Amino acid sequence: MKIGILGVGHIGKTLTQRLSAAGREVKVANSRGPHTIGADVLSSGGRAVTAAEAVSDVDAVLLSIPLNRIPQIAPLIAGVPADTVVIDTSNYYPARDSRIEAIDAGQVESLWVAEQLGRPIAKAWNAIGSHSFAAKGKPAGSSDSIAIPVAADRDRDRQVAMALIEDTGFDAFDAGTLADSWRQQPGAPCYCTDLTREEMPGALAAAEADRLPRRRDLAVAAIQERVGDAMTNPDAEYGVRLNRALFM
């Protein structure tokens, strides 16, 4: 399977490393050009390319960019064949992304992304913290593997996303449709709480849509108080403890 990745932040970097190590052919791009992508990102065999090259002749495109930049790449994604799987890993954080009125009014984040891109997507890797994703992968079949929820409307999108999650060292969990993907948004019980496959169904069922924004913003405020700004990710153990206390 050939993979194109847009974005080399915390999640995009680990995706590039893990999927390359798993034997996938990976091309990766950022907004500044291939010459700015560090050797550590490419250490497992990924190849730095332009954004146009990253989405050309691939089976799946993984979007690992801030949510507010999704409209900017819509023209690029418009040229991707309909049967190519597009997987979004983003989350809405108003302090970082600026206000998006439709989401503030209750639109599900994944549906907003699909609307901006004008095509079906899958939602995956958004509900795990970057430190947990980088450090807590396990061999396939491990009893204590962390589960990552996947939402999609098309069977192929769901199947490809779940297969790639398994490649990265985590258990893939079918979380249903994009309309239900609010259950894996920031503030939800399964969001960055490092749950197992057995724990995931209860966490998804326990989510309360109207409480998610308040819980999300409480977590941001607590992290900002600890690390000094709203943009720095906390270490894995603190982040998981905080999110479990606030979201579950």
Side-chain angles (χ1 to χ4, degrees):
M1 187 182 296
K2 294 184 287 186
I3 310 297
I5 299 175
L6 296 182
V8 290
H10 298 299
I11 298 294
K13 174 182 176 179
T14 301
L15 284 170
T16 302
Q17 293 169 335
R18 294 284 178 83
L19 292 174
S20 298
R24 305 299 191 181
E25 183 180 326
V26 179
K27 298 184 290 184
V28 60
N30 65 5
S31 60
R32 294 172 293 143
H35 65 284
T36 66
I37 296 176
D40 56 333
V41 177
L42 310 174
S43 59
S44 298
R47 183 161 59 95
V49 298
T50 66
E53 291 173 311
V55 302
S56 175
D57 188 30
V58 291
D59 301 295
V61 174
L62 279 54
L63 307 179
S64 187
I65 62 177
L67 184 137
N68 67 339
R69 288 181 51 205
I70 293 291
Q72 298 174 26
I73 66 161
L76 187 67
I77 300 301
V80 173
D83 61 349
T84 300
V85 175
V86 175
I87 306 172
D88 175 43
T89 73
S90 68
N91 295 294
Y92 177 49
Y93 279 95
R96 178 195 66 194
D97 298 325
S98 70
R99 290 286 177 183
I100 298 174
E101 290 184 8
I103 296 177
D104 284 341
Q107 185 174 20
V108 176
E109 293 174 19
S110 299
L111 294 179
W112 183 87
V113 171
E115 184 179 279
Q116 303 308 304
L117 298 179
R119 60 173 296 138
I121 64 165
K123 189 76 165 185
W125 289 292
N126 75 297
I128 185 166
S130 59
H131 284 243
S132 290
F133 186 40
K136 296 184 179 181
K138 296 287 182 70
S142 299
S143 60
D144 57 346
S145 289
I146 295 169
I148 294 179
V150 175
D153 291 338
R154 300 193 304 188
D155 288 342
R156 172 170 165 75
D157 296 341
R158 180 179 297 103
Q159 291 163 3
V160 168
M162 293 181 73
L164 294 178
I165 283 172
E166 299 285 341
D167 280 350
T168 60
F170 296 84
D171 282 345
F173 188 90
D174 182 354
T177 66
L178 292 180
D180 284 333
S181 64
W182 62 268
R183 296 181 182 274
Q184 64 195 70
Q185 289 178 188
C190 79
Y191 182 78
C192 296
T193 49
D194 287 4
L195 305 180
T196 65
R197 190 195 302 272
E198 290 71 30
E199 294 169 320
M200 187 62 67
L204 289 168
E208 301 172 78
D210 61 341
R211 302 182 72 177
L212 300 190
R214 293 194 298 275
R215 291 175 172 180
R216 174 200 66 204
D217 293 346
L218 281 170
V220 169
I223 292 167
Q224 185 172 4
E225 189 279 331
R226 182 181 178 91
V227 303
D229 65 76
M231 309 298 285
T232 301
N233 289 341
D235 67 81
E237 299 314 314
Y238 173 75
V240 170
R241 291 198 308 272
L242 174 67
N243 292 336
R244 288 188 174 193
L246 293 176
F247 304 162
M248 297 184 72

